[in-house]
Amino acid sequence: MFVSIFTAAILLGVAVTYFRIYRRLPNPFTRTLLLINVSLFLYAIWANPIVWVVFGVEPTGIGLFTVLPDIFTALAAVMLLQQSGM
């Protein structure tokens, strides 16, 4: 729980930095970094057990809450692959 909160806070700071860079120098690479960061931020939020409790979701079984973190990670991986030129 504390690790995901810490990760989300760090990623929020990184997102602000990337957004400032993108405003000054808009290019596809910086935009992709920003999108990857947003995806990882959403992963950190949805993987936090506090969010599960707030929405009344049991941490067992397969459902939207158990799949969303993996979807955000997969999106980040796809963007990294796309950025590498593959």
Side-chain angles (χ1 to χ4, degrees):
M1 174 176 68
F2 296 111
V3 172
S4 61
I5 291 171
F6 175 75
T7 303
I10 294 297
L11 288 170
L12 192 60
V14 172
V16 169
T17 302
Y18 284 163
F19 183 73
R20 288 180 183 162
I21 292 170
Y22 184 71
R23 275 194 352 216
R24 283 185 284 144
L25 182 65
N27 62 47
F29 181 74
T30 309
R31 183 179 54 240
T32 302
L33 286 176
L34 186 58
L35 291 173
I36 290 169
N37 187 64
V38 167
S39 181
L40 292 173
F41 174 77
L42 291 172
Y43 170 82
I45 294 298
W46 287 109
N48 192 331
I50 292 174
V51 173
W52 293 38
V53 170
V54 167
F55 286 100
V57 177
E58 292 292 325
T60 59
I62 295 178
L64 183 62
F65 272 78
T66 57
V67 176
L68 270 177
D70 294 325
I71 290 172
F72 293 135
T73 305
L75 285 173
V78 166
M79 286 184 266
L80 283 171
L81 183 63
Q82 182 270 335
Q83 192 64 37
S84 68
M86 300 230 37

